Amino acid sequence: MTPASLSILIYHRVLARPDPLFPGEVDARLFERQLRLLRRFHAPLPLAEAVQRLRDGSLPPRAVAITFDDGYADNAQVALPLLQRHALHATFFIATGYLDGGQMWNDSVIEGVRHAPGAQLDLRAHGLGCLPVASLAQRRAAIATLLGQLKYLPFAQRQRLALHIRRLAGPRRHASPMLSSAQLRELQAAGMGLGAHTASHPILSTLSATAARRDIANGKRQLEEALQAPVPLFAYPNGKAGRDYGAAHVDIVRSLGFTAAVATDWGVARPGDGTDLLQLPRFTPWDRGRLAFLWRMRQNRLQAPPAPQDGS
Protein backbone atom coordinates (compact mmCIF):
# COMPACT_ATOMS: atom_id res chain seq x y z
CA MET A 1 0.00 0.00 0.00
CA THR A 2 1.30 3.45 -0.92
CA PRO A 3 1.80 5.47 2.29
CA ALA A 4 -0.07 8.73 2.71
CA SER A 5 1.94 11.81 1.83
CA LEU A 6 1.42 15.46 0.91
CA SER A 7 3.37 17.07 -1.93
CA ILE A 8 2.96 20.85 -2.08
CA LEU A 9 3.82 22.37 -5.45
CA ILE A 10 5.18 25.90 -5.94
CA TYR A 11 4.32 28.02 -8.94
CA HIS A 12 4.90 31.72 -9.45
CA ARG A 13 3.68 32.61 -12.91
CA VAL A 14 1.69 30.97 -15.69
CA LEU A 15 2.44 32.87 -18.88
CA ALA A 16 -0.16 33.16 -21.62
CA ARG A 17 2.53 32.22 -24.14
CA PRO A 18 6.20 31.17 -23.93
CA ASP A 19 8.81 33.86 -23.22
CA PRO A 20 12.04 33.43 -25.26
CA LEU A 21 14.01 35.02 -22.43
CA PHE A 22 12.73 32.36 -19.98
CA PRO A 23 12.17 29.16 -21.96
CA GLY A 24 11.70 27.15 -18.77
CA GLU A 25 8.91 29.33 -17.37
CA VAL A 26 5.52 27.67 -17.04
CA ASP A 27 3.07 28.71 -19.75
CA ALA A 28 -0.62 27.96 -20.13
CA ARG A 29 -0.17 24.87 -22.29
CA LEU A 30 2.37 23.31 -19.92
CA PHE A 31 0.33 24.19 -16.82
CA GLU A 32 -2.77 22.56 -18.25
CA ARG A 33 -0.79 19.41 -19.07
CA GLN A 34 0.48 19.27 -15.49
CA LEU A 35 -3.03 19.75 -14.11
CA ARG A 36 -4.22 16.76 -16.14
CA LEU A 37 -1.37 14.63 -14.77
CA LEU A 38 -2.12 15.69 -11.20
CA ARG A 39 -5.78 14.77 -11.57
CA ARG A 40 -4.98 11.40 -13.11
CA PHE A 41 -2.11 10.18 -10.92
CA HIS A 42 -2.47 12.09 -7.65
CA ALA A 43 -5.09 13.21 -5.14
CA PRO A 44 -5.36 17.01 -5.42
CA LEU A 45 -6.63 18.83 -2.32
CA PRO A 46 -6.96 22.46 -1.24
CA LEU A 47 -3.98 23.25 0.96
CA ALA A 48 -6.09 24.10 4.01
CA GLU A 49 -7.93 20.77 3.75
CA ALA A 50 -4.67 18.89 3.18
CA VAL A 51 -3.19 20.44 6.33
CA GLN A 52 -6.25 19.44 8.35
CA ARG A 53 -6.11 15.88 6.99
CA LEU A 54 -2.38 15.73 7.69
CA ARG A 55 -3.18 16.74 11.27
CA ASP A 56 -5.98 14.22 11.81
CA GLY A 57 -4.37 11.33 9.92
CA SER A 58 -6.88 11.09 7.05
CA LEU A 59 -4.51 12.17 4.28
CA PRO A 60 -4.80 9.99 1.13
CA PRO A 61 -1.80 8.49 -0.69
CA ARG A 62 -0.10 10.87 -3.16
CA ALA A 63 -2.03 13.90 -1.95
CA VAL A 64 -0.96 17.10 -3.66
CA ALA A 65 -1.73 20.79 -3.11
CA ILE A 66 -1.05 23.54 -5.64
CA THR A 67 0.34 26.88 -4.45
CA PHE A 68 1.43 30.14 -6.08
CA ASP A 69 3.79 32.70 -4.57
CA ASP A 70 3.99 36.50 -4.81
CA GLY A 71 0.72 37.51 -6.48
CA TYR A 72 1.20 37.88 -10.23
CA ALA A 73 -1.67 39.09 -12.39
CA ASP A 74 -1.42 36.04 -14.66
CA ASN A 75 -2.48 33.93 -11.67
CA ALA A 76 -5.96 35.36 -12.19
CA GLN A 77 -5.78 35.94 -15.94
CA VAL A 78 -4.28 32.60 -17.04
CA ALA A 79 -3.99 30.10 -14.17
CA LEU A 80 -7.46 30.59 -12.66
CA PRO A 81 -9.46 29.68 -15.79
CA LEU A 82 -7.36 26.53 -16.23
CA LEU A 83 -7.82 25.52 -12.60
CA GLN A 84 -11.57 26.03 -12.97
CA ARG A 85 -11.66 24.06 -16.22
CA HIS A 86 -10.19 21.06 -14.42
CA ALA A 87 -12.09 21.61 -11.14
CA LEU A 88 -8.85 22.08 -9.20
CA HIS A 89 -7.95 24.36 -6.31
CA ALA A 90 -4.86 26.42 -5.59
CA THR A 91 -3.68 28.61 -2.74
CA PHE A 92 -2.15 31.97 -3.68
CA PHE A 93 0.37 33.55 -1.29
CA ILE A 94 0.29 37.33 -1.73
CA ALA A 95 3.01 39.90 -1.04
CA THR A 96 0.57 42.72 -0.38
CA GLY A 97 2.98 45.62 -0.95
CA TYR A 98 2.95 44.96 -4.70
CA LEU A 99 -0.80 44.86 -5.32
CA ASP A 100 -2.28 47.48 -7.63
CA GLY A 101 0.69 48.52 -9.73
CA GLY A 102 3.78 47.36 -7.86
CA GLN A 103 6.81 45.58 -9.21
CA MET A 104 9.10 43.24 -7.30
CA TRP A 105 12.84 43.85 -7.38
CA ASN A 106 13.60 40.78 -9.48
CA ASP A 107 11.08 41.85 -12.13
CA SER A 108 12.71 45.29 -12.23
CA VAL A 109 16.05 43.62 -12.95
CA ILE A 110 14.52 41.34 -15.60
CA GLU A 111 12.81 44.19 -17.43
CA GLY A 112 15.95 46.34 -17.23
CA VAL A 113 18.08 43.64 -18.82
CA ARG A 114 15.37 42.62 -21.30
CA HIS A 115 15.21 46.13 -22.78
CA ALA A 116 18.78 47.31 -22.14
CA PRO A 117 20.11 49.13 -25.22
CA GLY A 118 23.46 48.26 -26.74
CA ALA A 119 25.69 45.23 -26.38
CA GLN A 120 26.79 45.81 -22.77
CA LEU A 121 25.20 46.71 -19.48
CA ASP A 122 27.77 48.73 -17.57
CA LEU A 123 27.15 48.51 -13.82
CA ARG A 124 30.75 48.87 -12.66
CA ALA A 125 29.94 52.06 -10.78
CA HIS A 126 27.66 49.93 -8.58
CA GLY A 127 30.10 47.05 -8.12
CA LEU A 128 28.11 44.77 -10.41
CA GLY A 129 30.50 44.55 -13.35
CA CYS A 130 30.00 45.08 -17.07
CA LEU A 131 27.72 42.42 -18.53
CA PRO A 132 27.37 41.50 -22.22
CA VAL A 133 23.76 41.62 -23.45
CA ALA A 134 24.19 41.39 -27.22
CA SER A 135 22.37 38.05 -27.54
CA LEU A 136 19.40 36.38 -25.91
CA ALA A 137 21.72 33.89 -24.19
CA GLN A 138 23.82 36.74 -22.81
CA ARG A 139 20.75 38.51 -21.49
CA ARG A 140 19.64 35.31 -19.76
CA ALA A 141 23.10 34.96 -18.20
CA ALA A 142 23.13 38.64 -17.14
CA ILE A 143 19.76 38.25 -15.41
CA ALA A 144 20.92 35.15 -13.54
CA THR A 145 24.13 36.91 -12.47
CA LEU A 146 22.38 40.04 -11.25
CA LEU A 147 19.65 38.21 -9.38
CA GLY A 148 22.31 36.20 -7.58
CA GLN A 149 24.32 39.31 -6.73
CA LEU A 150 21.36 41.28 -5.40
CA LYS A 151 19.22 38.69 -3.63
CA TYR A 152 20.86 38.80 -0.20
CA LEU A 153 21.77 42.48 -0.11
CA PRO A 154 20.05 44.63 2.53
CA PHE A 155 16.47 45.28 1.41
CA ALA A 156 16.79 49.02 0.71
CA GLN A 157 20.05 48.59 -1.21
CA ARG A 158 18.55 45.76 -3.26
CA GLN A 159 15.51 47.85 -4.16
CA ARG A 160 17.65 50.84 -5.12
CA LEU A 161 19.96 48.85 -7.39
CA ALA A 162 17.05 47.02 -9.04
CA LEU A 163 15.32 50.32 -9.80
CA HIS A 164 18.55 51.71 -11.27
CA ILE A 165 18.92 48.69 -13.57
CA ARG A 166 15.33 49.08 -14.75
CA ARG A 167 15.87 52.78 -15.51
CA LEU A 168 18.87 51.99 -17.70
CA ALA A 169 16.46 50.49 -20.21
CA GLY A 170 14.96 53.92 -20.80
CA PRO A 171 11.48 55.34 -20.19
CA ARG A 172 9.18 52.43 -20.95
CA ARG A 173 5.61 52.00 -19.79
CA HIS A 174 4.47 48.48 -19.05
CA ALA A 175 1.44 47.14 -17.26
CA SER A 176 2.28 45.98 -13.77
CA PRO A 177 2.86 42.22 -13.63
CA MET A 178 1.16 42.02 -10.23
CA LEU A 179 -2.44 41.42 -9.19
CA SER A 180 -4.90 44.24 -8.74
CA SER A 181 -7.23 44.27 -5.75
CA ALA A 182 -10.08 43.41 -8.13
CA GLN A 183 -8.19 40.34 -9.38
CA LEU A 184 -7.44 39.34 -5.79
CA ARG A 185 -11.15 39.39 -5.02
CA GLU A 186 -11.77 37.41 -8.22
CA LEU A 187 -9.55 34.63 -6.87
CA GLN A 188 -11.43 34.77 -3.57
CA ALA A 189 -14.84 34.70 -5.27
CA ALA A 190 -13.73 31.63 -7.25
CA GLY A 191 -13.13 29.78 -3.98
CA MET A 192 -9.35 29.75 -4.21
CA GLY A 193 -7.20 29.84 -1.10
CA LEU A 194 -5.32 33.02 -0.20
CA GLY A 195 -2.39 33.22 2.16
CA ALA A 196 0.06 35.81 3.45
CA HIS A 197 3.58 36.23 2.05
CA THR A 198 4.71 39.34 3.98
CA ALA A 199 4.12 42.87 2.77
CA SER A 200 7.38 43.65 0.95
CA HIS A 201 8.81 40.14 0.35
CA PRO A 202 12.11 40.58 2.19
CA ILE A 203 14.54 37.79 2.96
CA LEU A 204 13.57 37.56 6.62
CA SER A 205 17.04 36.53 7.77
CA THR A 206 18.43 39.86 6.54
CA LEU A 207 16.10 41.86 8.82
CA SER A 208 16.09 42.60 12.50
CA ALA A 209 13.55 40.61 14.51
CA THR A 210 11.43 43.75 14.91
CA ALA A 211 11.44 44.51 11.19
CA ALA A 212 10.70 40.89 10.28
CA ARG A 213 7.73 40.77 12.64
CA ARG A 214 6.42 44.07 11.29
CA ASP A 215 6.58 42.92 7.67
CA ILE A 216 4.93 39.56 8.37
CA ALA A 217 2.21 41.19 10.50
CA ASN A 218 1.57 43.96 7.96
CA GLY A 219 1.16 41.42 5.16
CA LYS A 220 -1.37 39.46 7.21
CA ARG A 221 -3.32 42.55 8.27
CA GLN A 222 -3.41 44.08 4.79
CA LEU A 223 -4.59 40.85 3.20
CA GLU A 224 -7.27 40.30 5.83
CA GLU A 225 -8.51 43.85 5.33
CA ALA A 226 -8.64 43.37 1.54
CA LEU A 227 -10.48 40.05 1.82
CA GLN A 228 -12.55 40.78 4.93
CA ALA A 229 -11.65 37.27 6.06
CA PRO A 230 -9.07 35.63 8.33
CA VAL A 231 -5.79 34.51 6.75
CA PRO A 232 -4.36 31.46 8.57
CA LEU A 233 -1.75 30.38 5.98
CA PHE A 234 1.73 31.84 5.41
CA ALA A 235 4.64 31.32 3.00
CA TYR A 236 8.22 32.31 3.91
CA PRO A 237 9.78 34.51 1.19
CA ASN A 238 12.43 32.54 -0.70
CA GLY A 239 11.81 29.97 2.01
CA LYS A 240 15.01 27.97 2.59
CA ALA A 241 15.22 26.88 6.23
CA GLY A 242 18.32 28.14 8.01
CA ARG A 243 19.25 30.50 5.20
CA ASP A 244 16.18 32.62 4.46
CA TYR A 245 14.35 32.15 7.75
CA GLY A 246 15.12 30.64 11.12
CA ALA A 247 13.59 29.55 14.40
CA ALA A 248 12.86 33.14 15.45
CA HIS A 249 10.72 33.65 12.34
CA VAL A 250 8.82 30.43 12.97
CA ASP A 251 8.05 31.77 16.45
CA ILE A 252 6.83 35.06 14.96
CA VAL A 253 4.56 33.24 12.52
CA ARG A 254 3.16 31.14 15.36
CA SER A 255 2.61 34.15 17.60
CA LEU A 256 0.68 35.99 14.86
CA GLY A 257 -1.88 33.21 14.74
CA PHE A 258 -0.99 31.38 11.54
CA THR A 259 -1.99 27.72 11.68
CA ALA A 260 0.24 26.48 8.86
CA ALA A 261 3.19 27.82 6.87
CA VAL A 262 5.13 26.60 3.85
CA ALA A 263 8.82 26.76 3.04
CA THR A 264 10.73 25.81 -0.13
CA ASP A 265 12.77 22.82 1.03
CA TRP A 266 12.07 19.68 -0.99
CA GLY A 267 10.18 16.78 0.48
CA VAL A 268 6.70 15.70 1.51
CA ALA A 269 4.76 15.77 4.75
CA ARG A 270 3.41 12.51 6.18
CA PRO A 271 1.04 11.91 9.09
CA GLY A 272 2.91 11.08 12.26
CA ASP A 273 6.40 11.90 10.96
CA GLY A 274 6.84 14.92 13.21
CA THR A 275 6.39 17.47 10.41
CA ASP A 276 6.09 21.00 11.76
CA LEU A 277 2.91 22.48 10.29
CA LEU A 278 4.63 25.87 10.33
CA GLN A 279 7.46 24.55 8.11
CA LEU A 280 5.82 22.40 5.47
CA PRO A 281 8.11 21.40 2.57
CA ARG A 282 7.33 22.45 -1.00
CA PHE A 283 9.01 22.02 -4.35
CA THR A 284 8.79 23.03 -8.01
CA PRO A 285 8.53 20.28 -10.64
CA TRP A 286 10.16 22.01 -13.59
CA ASP A 287 10.14 19.19 -16.12
CA ARG A 288 8.21 19.80 -19.34
CA GLY A 289 7.78 16.16 -20.38
CA ARG A 290 4.95 14.06 -18.94
CA LEU A 291 7.07 11.16 -17.74
CA ALA A 292 9.77 13.47 -16.40
CA PHE A 293 7.15 15.44 -14.45
CA LEU A 294 5.76 12.28 -12.85
CA TRP A 295 9.28 11.01 -12.13
CA ARG A 296 10.13 14.30 -10.41
CA MET A 297 7.00 14.01 -8.28
CA ARG A 298 8.08 10.50 -7.28
CA GLN A 299 11.63 11.62 -6.47
CA ASN A 300 10.27 14.36 -4.25
CA ARG A 301 8.30 11.77 -2.26
CA LEU A 302 11.58 9.92 -1.64
CA GLN A 303 13.35 12.98 -0.21
CA ALA A 304 14.43 12.84 3.41
CA PRO A 305 12.33 15.28 5.47
CA PRO A 306 13.99 18.69 5.87
CA ALA A 307 15.46 19.58 9.26
CA PRO A 308 13.03 21.94 11.04
CA GLN A 309 14.12 25.23 12.56
CA ASP A 310 13.48 24.59 16.23
CA GLY A 311 11.78 27.44 17.98
CA SER A 312 10.79 27.91 21.58
Side-chain angles (χ1 to χ4, degrees):
M1 179 181 294
T2 303
S5 64
L6 172 60
S7 299
I8 307 175
L9 306 189
I10 313 169
Y11 292 92
H12 289 81
R13 306 196 65 174
V14 178
L15 305 179
R17 60 192 61 85
D19 181 351
L21 196 60
F22 292 95
E25 189 71 79
V26 176
D27 58 48
R29 183 177 179 182
L30 175 60
F31 186 59
E32 185 163 26
R33 181 193 306 160
Q34 292 179 348
L35 294 182
R36 289 193 183 103
L37 292 171
L38 293 174
R39 280 189 61 88
R40 181 176 178 185
F41 295 103
H42 294 80
L45 294 170
L47 180 59
E49 179 184 343
V51 169
Q52 180 57 46
R53 296 183 68 170
L54 177 65
R55 184 185 289 115
D56 66 24
S58 66
L59 197 70
R62 293 192 300 277
V64 63
I66 301 167
T67 69
F68 283 80
D69 279 6
D70 301 338
Y72 284 97
D74 56 45
N75 295 177
Q77 296 165 339
V78 182
L80 177 59
L82 294 174
L83 289 163
Q84 292 175 314
R85 180 183 300 171
H86 294 277
L88 289 172
H89 185 280
T91 296
F92 298 83
F93 290 101
I94 309 299
T96 53
Y98 302 99
L99 291 168
D100 297 313
Q103 186 172 55
M104 299 181 71
W105 72 274
N106 52 299
D107 292 313
S108 293
V109 171
I110 289 167
E111 289 310 299
V113 175
R114 184 191 298 274
H115 299 293
Q120 290 186 322
L121 186 60
D122 190 351
L123 297 169
R124 287 174 292 186
H126 302 277
L128 299 173
C130 187
L131 304 171
V133 292
S135 68
L136 200 60
Q138 287 176 338
R139 288 180 191 258
R140 289 179 193 142
I143 288 170
T145 296
L146 290 169
L147 294 182
Q149 288 176 316
L150 269 61
K151 179 176 283 190
Y152 288 98
L153 293 178
F155 182 82
Q157 182 184 5
R158 186 179 73 179
Q159 299 295 103
R160 184 172 63 252
L161 287 171
L163 185 58
H164 174 74
I165 293 168
R166 187 181 69 180
R167 286 173 174 165
L168 290 178
R172 291 176 174 269
R173 284 189 170 273
H174 296 283
S176 169
M178 311 309 289
L179 288 166
S180 67
S181 292
Q183 290 170 325
L184 180 69
R185 289 189 290 272
E186 182 183 354
L187 292 172
Q188 182 187 30
M192 297 294 132
L194 292 158
H197 197 37
T198 72
S200 63
H201 200 279
I203 304 292
L204 295 172
S205 61
T206 68
L207 303 181
S208 69
T210 299
R213 182 181 183 88
R214 182 187 312 118
D215 212 301
I216 297 169
N218 284 344
K220 187 177 196 294
R221 175 183 54 78
Q222 290 164 5
L223 191 57
E224 289 178 337
E225 289 175 354
L227 300 174
Q228 290 297 292
V231 174
L233 302 177
F234 178 75
Y236 299 96
N238 219 55
K240 295 295 183 186
R243 186 181 72 180
D244 303 321
Y245 77 92
H249 305 110
V250 179
D251 287 341
I252 291 170
V253 168
R254 181 182 294 110
S255 71
L256 289 172
F258 290 103
T259 58
V262 291
T264 60
D265 295 290
W266 277 51
V268 297
R270 293 186 174 89
D273 71 352
T275 299
D276 184 349
L277 294 181
L278 294 178
Q279 298 182 79
L280 293 169
R282 288 191 300 168
F283 84 112
T284 300
W286 60 83
D287 305 275
R288 302 188 75 84
R290 292 174 175 84
L291 292 178
F293 176 84
L294 293 172
W295 181 85
R296 186 79 57 189
M297 294 287 293
R298 177 183 180 276
Q299 291 302 106
N300 181 63
R301 291 198 301 274
L302 299 177
Q303 289 282 320
Q309 298 298 293
D310 293 327
S312 58

